Amino acid sequence: MQGYVRPGNSQPAWLFPFIVISVLFLSVLPLARLAMVGIAAFASGGVIDVLSEPLLWQATYYTMVTSVLGTIISLLIGCLFAFLLTLTDIRGKGPLSFFFVLPMMIPPQVTALAWVQMSGPSSPLLKALSLAPPLGSPQSLYSVGGIALLYGVQHAPLVYLALRAGLMTLPRDGVEAARLSGASSLRVFRDIILPLSLPGIIAGAAISFVSCTGNFGIPAILGIPASIFTLPTLIFTKFSAFTSRTFGDVAVLSAIIAMISVAGLMIQDRALRGRDYRVIGLSGANAAFELGPWRLLFTPFLWTILFFMLAAPFFALVAGALVPAYGVPLSFKTMSLHAFQEILFRQAVTRTAFINSLSLAGATALGLLVVAVLAAYALARRRDAVSRIIASLIEIPYSLPGIVMAVAFILVFAAPIPVLNVSLYGTIWIILIAYFSSFFAVSLKPVVSAFHQLDPALEEAARLSGAGFFRRLFDIIVPLIAPAAGASVILVFLIACNELTISALLWSAGTQTLGVAIYNLDDSGSSDLASALSVLVVLMVVVMMLLLELLAKRLPKGVVPWRS
Amino acid sequence: MKTIVSAAALLAASLFAIPASAANLVLYTSQPNEDAQATVDGFMAANPDIKVDWVRDGTPKIIAKLQAEIQAGNPVADLLLIADVVTLERLKEEGKLLAYKSPEAAAYDATLYDADGYYYSTKLITTGIMYNTSAAMKPASWKDLAKPEAKGLVTMPSPLASGAALIHAQTLAAVPGLGWDFYKSLQANGAIAAGGNGAVLKSVASGEKAYGVVVDYLPIREKAKGAPVEFVFPSEGVSAVTEPVGILASSKNAEAAKKFVDYVLSEKGQEGFLKLGYIPARNGMKVPDGFPARDTIKVLPIKAAEALKNTDQDLKIFSGIYGSN
C-alpha cells in the first residue's frame, strides 16, 4: 500500500482503496462471475447444447439485423437534426432540440406500445378517424422492419447528442476561408464539415448500435407476437421456462450479446484510429449556413418528423387509455376514464411501481453521486496506470447491455451471501446494486470533467491553513462542482426511472418498477391500463425535463444535454 | 469512511420505506391485473389486519420465477392461485406445498380439490372460440378453425405463456378426430400461437385476427362492455381449468395464508369471482350473465396424471409445430 499518499497530494489513506473496492464489487465481481459460469457451462458440455439450438442463431441474426438497420435509421434522423440545428439559422432551435431529445427519456416499451396503438387494425386512434385497415390486416410493426424503425426513433437522440457536441467545436476559420474562396454551401459541407464531424457520427453510431443490441422493451412488445426473438428477449423467455440449466444458458447468451457490443465498440475504435482531428482556430461554427428560402421547407419538415415521433404516438396512447373495451371505436360518447381510475385508485401495483422507481432512481442518483465525487477526486489527482484501469473498469458495465449486467448480478446473488446468509435475489437491493453498477459511468462523467477544470490552488490554500479532507471537500470542492453534480444526479435519475431491461429480470413481488408494471399490464392483455400508466409516466418525464430546462440558466454550459 | 457508509445506508433505508411486517402475504397469481386486485381487495376488506402483495404473470412464467427464487434460496411467495391443478400436482410431488384441510371444502365436489388438502379449485374456466362480429364465418366446431375461410385469421395462446393453453392442447390432443393432427392443420392454415389469453382477446377484439382460442370469461366480459366479439362453446366440447389455490411449504405466514384459502373458497369469495364473470367452483352458485347453464357446458375430460407426465414432451411437440414461442 505504499505510494498512495504522494507529495503534494493529501488524500486520506482510505480514499483510494475505498474506490478500488467499490469498483471491484460493482464491475469486476459480477463480470468475473458471469465468465466463470460461462466457462463452467463450457467445461460441462452444456454450451454445446445451447450453441446447437437453431433458436439461438436465429436470435443472434435478428439482433444483428435489427441493430444494424436501427443504427442506420437513427443516424439518418439524428444527423439531419444535428446538422440543421447546429449549423443553420433555423428558427425555434430550443423547442426543436428539447422535443427531439424527449424520446430518449421515455421508456422503450412505452414507445413501442404507443406506436402499436397508432397503427394497424387495432388502433383506437385510426378507428376514431375511420382510417383503420380492414379485419385481418397484420400489424406491420410486428416485424424486423418495425423493430428497426423504433430502434431508430428511440436512439436517434443519442446520435444527435454525440454529433452535436462535435459540431459545436468546429473551427469557423475553415468554413470562412472556403467561403471566401468561393466554395458553394454544398462544397463547404462536403469537404470541410463532413470530414471533421466524422468522429461524432462514428461515436453516435457506436452508442446507438450498442443500445440497440441490448434493448428489451421494443423487441418484447413488437417481436414476441411475431415470434421474432432477439438475444435479450430470448434470455427473458429462458427465464419463463426455468430448469436447472437456465443459469448456465443465460450466461452463455449474455456472453454473446457482450461480444456483439464489444465488437461494435472495437469497430468504432478502429474507425477513429490513425486519424488526427485536432484543429486550431476559433471554434463555434454557429449558423454557418443561412437557409434563406429553404427554411420554408426545412422547418415544417423537422416539425413533421417530430409530430410522427412524438405527438401522434402520444395521442394514440391517450386514445388507447380512453377506450371502454377493445375494438370499440373511440368517440366522445364511448370515451371512458375507467383505465385511469383503475390505475390511479385501485391497482396497488401503480403505487408500488412509482414508489419503487422513484426511490430506486433517487437512491441510485444520490448514492452514486457520493461515490462519484470521491472517485473523481481520487482519479483526477492521481494520474497513473492504476487510475486509468479503474476508470475503464467503471466504463465497462455501462457500455454492456443492461440485460448482461442483470444476468451477472443474478449469478452473483443467486445463492445466499456467505457469512451473512441473507439472499438478495428477489429483493429490491439486487436491483439497486445492478443500477449502481450500470449507471456509475453516467454519474461520474460530468463530475470528472468538473474536477479537471478546478484550480488546485484553492484546495492547496485550504490545506496549508490546516483544513482536513472533509472540511476541504464540503467548503471548497462541493460548491465548485455543484452544477455538474446536479446534472449528474438528474441524468442518472431520469435514466434509472425509465429502466426496464435490468428490472425485467430482477423484479419480484413488491419490487416492480414502472417499466415492469407497464410491460406486465400489456402482457396480461390490459393494454388500456398499460396505456394509462404510460401516459402518466410520459407526463412525469416531460415535467422533469422542463424542470431541468428551467434550471439550465444556472447550470454550466453543456450540462443539460439538449441545450446549446 | 464509516460515516459515509452509514450515511449512505441511512439514506437508502429512509428511501425504502417498504413495509416488511409479519402479516404480509405474497400471492403469485395468473389472473388478469384487475381481477387479481379485486380478489385481494375483497380478502383485505374481510381481514383488515393482513396485507397482501401480489404478482401477476402467465402460469408457466410465474412458476419459473418461483423455481428461480427457490434455487436462489429466497422463495418470496406464500400462496399460489394459478390456472391448473396439473402444475400444483407437480409442486405437491416435489414437496413444495403445505397441506391444509379447509372447513369450506364441504361445499365442494370431491373431484375439485386434493384429498390431502394441498390445493383447492376455485372456479371453472373453459377454453372455447371467440370471434370478431365482423368475421365472415360463425365457427361452431373446433374444426371450423382449419377451414379456408379462417386462413391466416386464427390466433391462440402459447402453452409456454399460459397454463390454460397447455391444458387445452393436452385435452384436445387426446380427443379422437382432433389430436395433434388438428393442431398441425391449424398451423398449415396460418394460425399463430403467441403470448397469453389477454393477447388473443386484444388481437380478435381489435380485428387483427378474426378468430381466437381463448378462455371464456374474457370475451364474455368484454362483449358486455360493448366490444365487437362473441364466444362459442364448440360442439366437440371445451377444455377446462379450475384455477386452484395452494399454500407453499416455505411460507412464513402459513396462518394468514390459510385465511386466504378459506376466503376464496367461502361463499363471499366465490360471489366475488361470480361478479368478475367467472363460473364459481362452489356448489349451488349461479353462473355469470352471458353464460349457458352449467350442466349444458360439455367439458372434455383430461387425465391429470398423464398430463403431468407428458408436459415436457407435449410442450416440445407444440413448439415443434408452431416454432418456439
Side-chain angles (χ1 to χ4, degrees):
Chain A
M1 293 302 243
Q2 273 183 332
Y4 278 133
V5 182
R6 305 163 151 217
N9 171 359
S10 66
Q11 293 183 13
W14 55 262
L15 180 65
F16 197 66
F18 166 70
I19 299 303
V20 172
I21 289 166
S22 312
V23 171
L24 283 178
F25 178 69
L26 291 176
S27 301
V28 180
L29 172 74
L31 293 170
R33 184 89 184 92
L34 183 66
M36 268 165 52
V37 174
I39 292 165
F42 251 112
S44 64
V47 164
I48 308 301
D49 292 345
V50 183
L51 293 183
S52 61
E53 268 184 60
L55 199 61
L56 165 82
W57 297 110
Q58 213 181 9
T60 310
Y61 165 79
Y62 281 135
T63 307
M64 291 297 293
V65 172
T66 51
S67 302
V68 170
L69 286 174
T71 306
I72 293 170
I73 296 169
S74 67
L75 275 176
L76 288 174
I77 308 176
C79 290
L80 175 81
F81 270 78
F83 284 127
L84 284 173
L85 293 187
T86 22
L87 299 178
T88 70
D89 56 353
I90 201 161
R91 302 267 162 87
K93 283 183 185 182
L96 276 168
S97 189
F98 178 87
F99 286 121
F100 187 68
V101 176
L102 192 58
M104 185 174 92
M105 302 292 182
I106 288 170
Q109 69 281 17
V110 170
T111 313
L113 197 66
W115 280 68
V116 170
Q117 303 269 35
M118 185 170 74
S119 58
S122 57
S123 164
L125 190 69
L126 293 182
K127 272 185 190 280
L129 304 170
S130 329
L131 292 174
L135 176 81
S137 317
Q139 164 58 272
S140 48
L141 283 175
Y142 294 159
S143 64
V144 169
I147 296 173
L149 176 67
L150 286 205
Y151 278 174
V153 169
Q154 187 81 30
H155 301 127
L158 291 172
V159 177
Y160 167 78
L161 293 176
L163 178 55
R164 191 181 148 91
L167 290 177
M168 291 283 198
T169 59
L170 272 185
R172 210 175 331 178
D173 336 28
V175 177
E176 275 168 13
R179 291 265 170 173
L180 291 171
S181 328
S184 66
S185 289
L186 202 63
R187 180 99 198 256
V188 171
F189 181 75
R190 201 185 61 204
D191 292 349
I192 295 176
I193 295 193
L194 207 53
L196 284 176
S197 51
L198 259 185
I201 295 178
I202 291 171
I207 299 171
S208 169
F209 178 77
V210 171
S211 309
C212 289
T213 53
N215 192 301
F216 170 77
I218 290 171
I221 289 193
L222 299 183
I224 293 176
S227 312
I228 297 169
F229 286 91
T230 61
L231 287 166
T233 50
L234 186 63
I235 289 180
F236 181 75
T237 45
K238 282 268 179 212
F239 272 100
S240 42
F242 192 83
T243 63
S244 53
R245 281 187 27 205
T246 299
F247 283 148
D249 285 4
V250 296
V252 175
L253 288 174
S254 311
I256 296 175
I257 302 188
M259 279 191 269
I260 294 177
S261 356
V262 170
L265 292 170
M266 277 166 71
I267 292 172
Q268 173 202 359
D269 246 18
R270 280 305 295 272
L272 292 177
R273 193 179 305 159
R275 299 172 179 230
D276 197 339
Y277 288 99
R278 275 171 303 181
V279 283
I280 47 168
L282 292 167
S283 70
N286 275 353
F289 300 99
E290 283 173 16
L291 287 174
W294 286 97
R295 189 182 292 154
L296 295 174
L297 172 76
F298 278 117
T299 312
F301 182 52
L302 290 193
W303 282 107
T304 311
I305 294 181
L306 279 181
F307 174 80
F308 280 106
M309 273 175 67
L310 277 177
F314 181 71
F315 288 129
L317 209 53
V318 174
L322 294 176
V323 285
Y326 302 116
V328 180
L330 186 67
S331 67
F332 284 109
K333 264 207 203 80
T334 59
M335 201 165 80
S336 117
L337 287 174
H338 163 82
F340 283 103
Q341 279 164 346
E342 179 73 26
I343 277 293
L344 285 170
F345 306 116
R346 302 233 359 243
Q347 288 287 323
V349 74
T350 312
R351 210 178 121 256
T352 311
F354 267 104
I355 291 175
N356 283 341
S357 270
L358 293 175
S359 49
L360 275 170
T364 308
L366 295 173
L368 274 179
L369 180 69
V370 174
V371 187
V373 167
L374 293 173
Y377 185 91
L379 294 176
R381 295 282 182 275
R382 300 172 57 103
R383 305 213 173 154
D384 54 1
V386 182
S387 63
R388 272 197 298 278
I389 292 171
I390 294 285
S392 43
L393 283 177
I394 292 172
E395 277 290 330
I396 291 171
Y398 178 62
S399 50
L400 287 177
I403 201 139
V404 177
M405 291 319 291
V407 169
F409 277 107
I410 287 178
L411 297 175
V412 171
F413 295 119
I417 301 172
V419 190
L420 298 174
N421 207 10
V422 284
S423 185
L424 287 185
Y425 187 77
T427 66
I428 195 129
W429 303 104
I430 189 170
I431 304 182
L432 185 68
I433 294 169
Y435 280 9
F436 262 62
S437 168
S438 288
F439 307 136
F440 194 1
V442 184
S443 169
L444 189 66
K445 228 172 223 137
V447 180
V448 163
S449 47
F451 262 102
H452 282 309
Q453 289 166 356
L454 276 188
D455 184 350
L458 290 165
E459 203 197 343
E460 287 300 310
R463 196 159 64 87
L464 292 172
S465 328
F469 173 69
F470 283 106
R471 181 76 195 271
R472 299 199 304 273
L473 193 68
F474 288 119
D475 289 358
I476 299 200
I477 295 175
V478 170
L480 287 171
I481 60 163
S488 139
V489 166
I490 293 168
L491 277 182
V492 174
F493 188 87
L494 269 174
I495 295 174
C497 221
N498 297 318
E499 187 287 330
L500 169 66
T501 322
I502 296 172
S503 46
L505 290 189
L506 300 179
W507 69 276
S508 177
T511 68
Q512 294 99 327
T513 61
L514 282 170
V516 170
I518 291 170
Y519 179 72
N520 278 348
L521 284 168
D522 184 57
D523 188 52
S524 73
S526 316
S527 69
D528 53 342
L529 301 188
S531 303
L533 185 55
S534 300
V535 169
L536 298 180
V537 171
V538 172
L539 292 177
M540 182 182 83
V541 170
V542 172
V543 166
M544 282 187 208
M545 280 179 66
L546 282 173
L547 280 179
L548 205 53
E549 178 76 15
L550 289 177
L551 285 175
K553 291 189 185 64
R554 300 162 156 255
L555 295 172
K557 243 183 128 114
V559 161
V560 180
W562 56 86
R563 288 181 62 101
S564 31
Chain B
M1 171 75 205
K2 273 193 192 135
T3 39
I4 289 184
V5 173
S6 51
L10 271 178
L11 175 84
S14 65
L15 284 165
F16 295 97
I18 295 168
S21 63
N24 250 16
L25 277 180
V26 176
L27 167 74
Y28 277 16
T29 178
S30 64
Q31 301 185 98
N33 294 58
E34 288 186 57
D35 302 357
Q37 189 64 55
T39 307
V40 164
D41 287 348
F43 171 73
M44 292 202 289
N47 299 274
D49 54 332
I50 305 174
K51 193 177 161 298
V52 185
D53 271 333
W54 55 273
V55 170
R56 186 223 80 89
D57 215 331
T59 298
K61 291 187 182 175
I62 211 114
I63 294 298
K65 203 164 191 57
L66 183 71
Q67 297 281 22
E69 283 165 7
I70 289 173
Q71 188 161 346
N74 192 16
V76 182
D78 298 297
L79 283 150
L80 294 171
L81 178 58
I82 55 172
D84 61 285
V85 292
V86 175
T87 306
L88 281 185
E89 180 62 36
R90 171 176 313 135
L91 288 172
K92 171 191 159 183
E93 286 177 12
E94 291 170 2
K96 303 256 165 60
L97 295 183
L98 180 95
Y100 166 58
K101 298 257 166 124
S102 170
E104 300 285 350
Y108 284 74
D109 191 298
T111 55
L112 286 174
Y113 59 92
D114 177 70
D116 306 323
Y118 284 99
Y119 52 82
Y120 296 86
S121 298
T122 61
K123 43 181 108 79
L124 183 72
I125 302 174
T126 70
T127 292
I129 301 174
M130 76 180 283
Y131 60 94
N132 189 301
T133 46
S134 55
M137 171 183 69
K138 306 272 175 277
S141 116
W142 289 112
K143 290 195 168 164
D144 287 350
L145 297 182
K147 285 186 176 166
E149 293 96 310
K151 193 163 184 59
L153 296 176
V154 178
T155 176
M156 65 182 98
S158 160
L160 295 174
S162 153
L166 173 61
I167 298 292
H168 181 70
Q170 293 183 311
T171 307
L172 288 201
V175 174
L178 290 171
W180 289 116
D181 286 347
F182 166 68
Y183 272 98
K184 285 181 188 139
S185 65
L186 282 188
Q187 199 273 333
N189 205 22
I192 58 162
N197 284 285
V200 172
L201 169 77
K202 214 160 65 179
S203 185
V204 176
S206 56
E208 269 171 38
K209 298 286 176 195
Y211 310 100
V213 175
V214 74
V215 290
D216 54 23
Y217 64 92
L218 283 174
I220 291 174
R221 196 160 66 180
E222 289 299 303
K223 181 188 164 186
K225 284 195 221 161
V229 294
E230 285 286 349
F231 182 81
V232 284
F233 293 85
S235 53
E236 298 94 336
V238 288
S239 70
V241 290
T242 55
E243 190 134 322
V245 64
I247 304 171
L248 285 159
S250 56
S251 168
K252 297 181 188 75
N253 307 309
E255 287 316 304
K258 288 171 183 173
K259 282 189 185 153
F260 187 88
V261 172
D262 290 343
Y263 170 80
V264 291
L265 298 178
S266 70
E267 189 140 9
K268 195 157 174 230
Q270 292 281 307
E271 280 287 342
F273 291 140
L274 184 64
K275 269 205 204 78
L276 292 170
Y278 295 93
I279 304 173
R282 193 183 170 99
N283 292 337
M285 306 276 298
K286 292 203 304 271
V287 291
D289 293 341
F291 277 81
R294 200 165 143 177
D295 52 1
T296 62
I297 301 173
K298 183 181 169 191
V299 177
L300 292 164
I302 181 161
K303 296 196 178 80
E306 251 173 69
L308 177 61
K309 202 171 74 225
N310 298 336
T311 292
D312 288 347
Q313 186 196 334
D314 289 342
L315 281 173
K316 264 210 181 71
I317 297 174
F318 192 95
S319 302
I321 300 173
Y322 285 91
S324 188
N325 47 13

